[in-house]
Amino acid sequence: MVIQPRTLRGAAEPERTSPGRFRNASAAGPGPATALQVLRRLDTGPRGLTDDEAADRLARAGENTLPDRQDASWLRLLVRGVRDPFTAVLLCLGLVSAAVFAWGTACVILLLVAVSCVLRASGEHRADRSMAGLRELVATTSTVLRRADEATAPAAREIPVAELVPGDIVRLGAGDLVPADVRLLRAGGLTVHQGALTGESAPVAKSAADAHRPDGAAGFDQPQLCFQGSSVVSGSASAVVVATGAHTRLAAAEGRVARPREPSAFEQSVNGISWILIRFMLLTPPLVLMAGAALRGRGLETLPFAVAVAVGLTPEMLPVVVTTCLSRGAALLARTHGVIVKRLPALHNLGAVDTLCLDKTGTLTQDRPVVERALDADGHADPDVLRWAAVNAWWTLQLADLPAPDALDEAVLDAADEAGLLAYEGVAALPFDPARRLSTAVVRTPHRLGTHILVVKGAVEAVLERCALAEEERERLADLADRTAHEGLRVLAVATAERPARARDHTPADERGLTFRGLVTFHDALAPSAADALAAFAGKGVGVKVLTGDHPGTAARACRDLGIPLGPDAVVTADRLDGLTDAELTALARRTTVFARCTPEHKARVGAALRAGGHTVGFLGDGVNDLPALRAADVGIAPRDAADVTRESADVVLAEKDLTAIGHAIDAGRHGGGNVAGYLRITLSSNLGNVIAMLAAGLLMPFLPMLPAQVLVQNLCFDTVQLAFAYDRPHPSLLRRPTVLSPREVLRFITGFGLLNAFADLATFAVLALSLHGPGTGDDEAIFHSGWFTENLLTQALVMVLLRTGRRLVAERALGPVGWAATGLAGIGIALPPSPLGPALGLTTLPGAYYLLLGVVLALYATALVWARGHYERSPAGRGTRP
């Protein structure tokens, strides 16, 4: 919590603010807050708080703990499943069926609702269990200065972190976890790893010097601030606590997880299709009732038939098919690739992703640099420069007692010849200091014991200003370094100096009058699987956008090395985005590949702009600062070692930060999405055709075209075999493009093929009415019901097979699960009417001549289906997505 001062010690009582809300002491007021200002605002000092003051503040501010987050209960998960649009529609239809005493229909529908909710809840519950065990980033104890009273000298104590309060003075050392948000008062060689917050792979240098961002915000890049959730890599510091508990930056980021996120592309598509069906289903029963009453004098006895017709239009198995498809895909990903899908709809969204936003470091490149080359003062290759750099790195590591080599030093030592290091003996070392921006090793050779050699390595500007050079030469070398840096390389300068041997210690004052030796350049090591994964993304129709805080040249260099094409406006810096409107940014994001120098807000805005441009966006992030962009995307992806709040907010979690795993997840999403899309198109078109035919027959025939019980059994048979779509293997072409479920395209598909199905049904009416006994007797009514029941199941079986495979039926030697299910459905349609169960359903044996005529109708219908399917595949809609 961030606390306002009760009073400045020795000053008058200032005006209080509300006790529940306090400003951040490190950023309050206009302009930068100095250390003295922060201490005054917190009513504290370098000697720390007294026990009474700490107790009073703890009572008012509360414990320094993160707010509890609880996993969703089983009941909540089940209720969340009922909120699915299709499930809610089914539930309403089930209740209506029960209200009109259609108990068979009601039981079947409610059973489907229950199965769907349980499957979805169990899948998400398993994902929640996989994500358990958070909050390991928070320290348990901290060293703090406390006093018994004002007259007592302060003493360092180890207290539980929960007892820290704003105004406490804490001490930090190597290996410590930062216990709260703090403002540094003193720091020596302090570097902090805040990757859990920012996603940065390298430790960040911190100092107590006053510094501020131009916009005045207290960002993670403020060198005088350290944040809860980060850890001290090297050095030591004392700091004042400015925020605890729910008011830390870590807790604020975690709080953003609870904010409602915009519906994903999948959810929007499902909602669109749901409302189309709802309109149909709301209109169908009244139309049937009114038409029956007006034309045939039927009353409420038609109501069960009207409800059955509405149910027949509904894809009752959709929740079960969707949940089964996505659950199987999620289970396979977790078992074979270590990918955890936390929200099942996210797997379908992955299949629809056409743009993947990611950072450079740790994703396209590894978390380590590699030496590119060593150059002399003229820009020519010179191995001696690398040798001197290695001498500096080796003896600095040995004599300064560093816990581990710096990443750049490690790269230098990997590239250097070890034999060159043995020629020198280390004397002393001045380790890297963020203020000096260089390190110095003092060495000697056995044959020149009276001479010490200073080997200096560090930032180009810092080394050049310590070299004995003419101003023109210094500018020339600085230009050489700048040109090298613009190629996407990191640059270090190396210089040496000879000094007479001495016993007293060497100091930074000795780093003067140096002889410039040259430059060592580094590039980021490419991730081993990145190039292959990016090529696979291109083959899947997935574009990549690099959103990074790095230098634009460094990011562009990595993209070129990985084969990512960069056009004229492909690389921009984030400061250019600040002056653009949302519409202008949408246009820029379409043609830009690399956004450099990005803040978290820039990343989120780019993701939102891509979505506004019609793209389905996936975002891979691992730091707390990635949360806004993670939630702005359709699919948020995080590695297992990401910050806990980031991992908790993500839709998909990877075992490793590996693009190949994302490729596997996209494939699984497209498999599942393709099966769902195919099920929807095939089922809805068949159902629509049947409904149109039923409505027409109800107006033309003197009796109901099908009894409610027969409609129920027909729907039950069709619904049962439709579960095969969840186990189908879509055509490989489906993996080459995003799987998009467009309500408008689905409506066009089901309308066209539904009308074709209705024509087949009406042709069957003609066969039944003209070629058989003709209407007028009870036997004819039973024959009509039986003939249409058989024809319906056979045409639905044809639709399942031919709309799935089209002209590929001969090429696919095996029918697969859908083909075998369709065969079983056709067998039921032929065998059920003459079976012992037929009379109980009002069905009877059909004459042999009917089957001959029906075969002609089905052959014509199959020919029309194959032709229409081929025409559809050649159309733009068919080339975009296939059932």
Side-chain angles (χ1 to χ4, degrees):
M1 184 171 194
V2 180
I3 194 165
Q4 284 288 81
R6 298 191 308 276
T7 178
L8 296 176
R9 293 179 181 173
E13 174 92 19
E15 182 181 354
R16 287 192 184 187
T17 60
S18 169
R21 288 293 296 169
F22 305 96
R23 283 187 305 174
N24 189 315
S26 63
T34 65
L36 182 59
Q37 289 174 328
V38 172
L39 291 173
R40 286 177 174 174
R41 288 171 184 163
L42 292 171
D43 190 18
T44 188
R47 302 173 70 233
L49 301 174
T50 65
D51 290 337
D52 290 341
E53 289 173 335
D56 178 61
R57 296 190 182 196
L58 184 63
R60 290 191 296 133
E63 291 189 344
N64 179 33
T65 56
L66 293 177
D68 289 335
R69 292 185 57 86
Q70 298 179 352
D71 292 335
S73 64
W74 264 99
L75 179 60
R76 182 175 298 179
L77 291 174
L78 289 172
V79 172
R80 189 185 301 169
V82 176
R83 289 167 53 191
D84 174 81
F86 276 121
T87 307
V89 170
L90 281 178
L91 184 60
C92 292
L93 283 174
L95 296 176
V96 170
S97 300
V100 299
F101 305 106
W103 299 113
T105 304
C107 290
V108 171
I109 292 177
L110 295 177
L111 177 63
L112 292 174
V113 170
V115 170
S116 172
C117 291
V118 170
L119 284 175
R120 177 168 298 184
S122 62
E124 295 187 1
H125 179 66
R126 285 194 300 270
D128 285 341
R129 285 191 305 171
S130 300
M131 300 308 301
L134 304 177
R135 284 175 173 72
E136 66 275 6
L137 292 174
V138 180
T140 56
T141 62
S142 179
T143 303
V144 62
L145 291 181
R146 289 278 178 88
R147 296 172 292 154
D149 51 49
E150 291 285 352
T152 307
R157 304 180 189 173
E158 195 81 9
I159 67 170
V161 163
E163 296 179 9
L164 281 179
V165 296
D168 265 329
I169 306 300
V170 297
R171 290 179 177 176
L172 301 174
D176 288 344
L177 294 174
V178 178
D181 288 357
V182 300
R183 204 284 185 195
L184 297 176
L185 303 176
R186 177 196 59 79
L190 184 68
T191 59
V192 173
H193 189 281
Q194 53 187 28
L197 304 172
T198 65
E200 297 169 306
S201 58
V204 178
K206 298 286 185 176
S207 66
D210 297 327
H212 69 289
R213 285 178 14 185
D215 58 6
F220 290 121
D221 56 352
Q222 293 279 50
Q224 75 274 26
L225 300 177
C226 295
F227 301 93
Q228 186 179 41
S230 53
S231 58
V232 179
V233 177
S234 63
S236 60
S238 64
V240 58
V241 175
V242 297
T244 60
H247 290 264
T248 62
R249 292 292 293 273
L250 182 64
E254 186 168 355
R256 287 198 291 267
V257 175
R259 296 181 183 177
R261 67 190 300 171
E262 297 181 6
S264 67
F266 174 70
E267 292 163 340
Q268 292 174 356
S269 300
V270 168
N271 288 337
I273 297 173
S274 296
W275 281 111
I276 292 173
L277 293 178
I278 288 171
R279 293 186 185 101
F280 272 115
M281 286 183 292
L282 290 177
L283 288 174
T284 299
L287 286 177
V288 173
L289 289 174
M290 289 187 295
L295 299 178
R296 296 295 179 183
R298 300 173 187 142
L300 290 178
E301 68 271 12
T302 315
L303 182 59
F305 175 73
V307 173
V309 171
V311 172
L313 181 62
T314 309
E316 297 98 330
M317 290 297 292
L318 179 64
V320 178
V321 170
V322 169
T323 305
T324 304
C325 281
L326 301 184
S327 296
R328 292 183 69 244
L332 182 64
L333 283 174
R335 186 169 61 251
T336 59
H337 302 293
V339 177
I340 298 172
V341 180
K342 295 178 60 183
R343 294 172 54 253
L344 289 181
L347 187 59
H348 183 279
N349 293 341
L350 273 171
V353 162
D354 59 12
T355 303
L356 180 63
C357 298
L358 42 82
D359 198 353
K360 175 186 70 68
T361 306
T363 307
L364 301 179
T365 60
Q366 299 182 55
D367 293 343
R368 63 181 182 88
V370 175
V371 171
E372 171 93 357
R373 51 188 172 167
L375 307 174
D376 62 15
D378 295 323
H380 301 138
D382 186 352
D384 278 347
V385 177
L386 181 60
R387 176 174 58 84
W388 285 119
V391 169
N392 171 282
W394 175 256
W395 288 111
T396 302
L397 176 64
Q398 298 299 317
L399 299 178
D401 196 24
L402 299 178
D406 174 81
L408 295 178
D409 285 349
E410 194 168 18
V412 167
L413 293 174
D414 287 341
D417 184 2
E418 294 183 5
L421 304 178
L422 301 178
Y424 301 93
E425 297 177 1
V427 176
L430 300 175
F432 180 84
D433 184 344
R436 291 162 44 238
R437 295 188 300 159
L438 48 80
S439 63
T440 298
V442 182
V443 298
R444 64 185 178 187
T445 59
H447 59 279
R448 297 183 62 189
L449 297 180
T451 301
H452 287 172
I453 304 174
L454 276 67
V455 185
V456 180
K457 171 174 60 65
V460 175
E461 299 85 353
V463 173
L464 287 179
E465 71 181 15
R466 290 167 171 79
C467 290
L469 295 169
E471 190 61 32
E472 296 80 2
E473 179 67 5
R474 185 176 287 109
E475 291 180 358
R476 185 187 70 81
L477 293 172
D479 289 341
L480 174 63
D482 286 341
R483 291 195 303 272
T484 305
H486 280 105
E487 295 176 4
L489 301 174
R490 281 184 280 182
V491 185
L492 290 180
V494 181
T496 62
E498 292 189 358
R499 300 284 190 267
R502 69 187 190 198
R504 60 186 177 87
D505 293 338
H506 290 79
T507 67
D510 296 318
E511 299 167 340
R512 293 289 183 272
L514 307 177
T515 300
F516 182 79
R517 292 288 183 177
L519 305 173
V520 181
T521 64
F522 305 82
H523 69 267
D524 291 328
L526 301 179
S529 60
D532 292 339
L534 291 172
F537 286 152
K540 293 180 173 67
V542 178
V544 172
K545 305 290 183 182
V546 180
L547 280 56
T548 179
D550 282 351
H551 187 280
T554 304
R557 171 64 181 265
C559 290
R560 286 193 295 268
D561 290 345
L562 289 168
I564 300 177
L566 298 178
D569 205 11
V571 182
V572 300
T573 53
D575 55 3
R576 180 176 168 183
L577 310 184
D578 296 329
L580 299 179
T581 64
D582 290 342
E584 291 170 338
L585 179 56
T586 298
L588 178 66
R590 187 178 300 112
R591 61 180 184 271
T592 301
T593 302
V594 177
F595 294 87
R597 303 295 192 196
C598 281
T599 65
E601 292 73 21
H602 287 136
K603 294 180 180 181
R605 195 173 171 216
V606 170
L610 289 167
R611 290 187 68 184
H615 295 281
T616 303
V617 180
F619 182 85
L620 174 62
D622 54 6
V624 172
N625 64 333
D626 289 326
L627 276 175
L630 210 67
R631 298 187 62 78
D634 291 286
V635 186
I637 309 169
R640 182 175 55 186
D641 57 357
D644 52 0
V645 293
T646 306
R647 200 169 55 233
E648 195 172 348
S649 180
D651 302 305
V652 178
V653 178
L654 311 177
E656 304 292 340
K657 197 173 183 181
D658 183 9
L659 294 180
T660 304
I662 299 179
H664 292 309
I666 289 175
D667 287 345
R670 291 185 180 179
H671 275 295
N675 286 342
V676 171
Y679 164 81
L680 268 178
R681 293 186 181 94
I682 293 171
T683 300
L684 289 178
S685 60
S686 179
N687 289 356
L688 179 62
N690 288 337
V691 167
I692 293 174
M694 282 187 183
L695 293 177
L699 300 177
L700 296 174
M701 306 300 293
F703 49 80
L704 290 177
M706 192 173 290
L707 299 178
Q710 295 166 353
V711 176
L712 173 63
V713 172
Q714 175 184 280
N715 289 340
L716 181 61
C717 293
F718 194 32
D719 291 341
T720 302
V721 300
Q722 284 170 343
L723 190 59
F725 282 101
Y727 299 88
D728 194 24
R729 290 193 300 261
H731 194 267
S733 63
L734 189 71
L735 302 181
R736 296 198 291 268
R737 59 182 65 86
T739 305
V740 180
L741 192 62
S742 168
R744 182 175 300 178
E745 186 273 326
V746 170
L747 181 60
R748 283 199 300 265
F749 185 97
I750 66 175
T751 301
F753 285 93
L755 290 174
L756 186 61
N757 192 10
F759 289 146
D761 288 343
L762 293 174
T764 304
F765 294 165
V767 168
L768 290 168
L770 301 178
S771 301
L772 298 177
H773 300 288
T777 67
D779 289 339
D780 288 336
E781 183 175 339
I783 289 174
F784 185 92
H785 291 161
S786 302
W788 197 16
F789 181 90
T790 298
E791 183 269 348
N792 265 338
L793 293 188
L794 291 177
T795 54
Q796 286 175 338
L798 278 176
V799 167
M800 288 178 63
V801 174
L802 295 181
L803 284 192
R804 172 188 170 270
T805 59
R807 292 170 296 173
R808 302 190 305 269
L809 179 61
V810 178
E812 296 187 4
R813 299 178 181 177
L815 290 178
V818 172
W820 287 112
T823 302
L825 183 65
I828 293 174
I830 295 172
L832 186 58
S835 72
L837 295 176
L841 297 173
L843 302 176
T844 187
T845 302
L846 290 165
Y850 168 75
Y851 292 105
L852 179 61
L853 293 172
L854 180 60
V856 175
V857 172
L858 293 178
L860 293 175
Y861 179 49
T863 302
L865 271 180
V866 172
W867 177 86
R869 173 58 192 261
H871 177 74
Y872 173 78
E873 288 185 352
R874 292 189 296 270
S875 68
R879 289 193 297 269
T881 54
R882 297 181 180 179

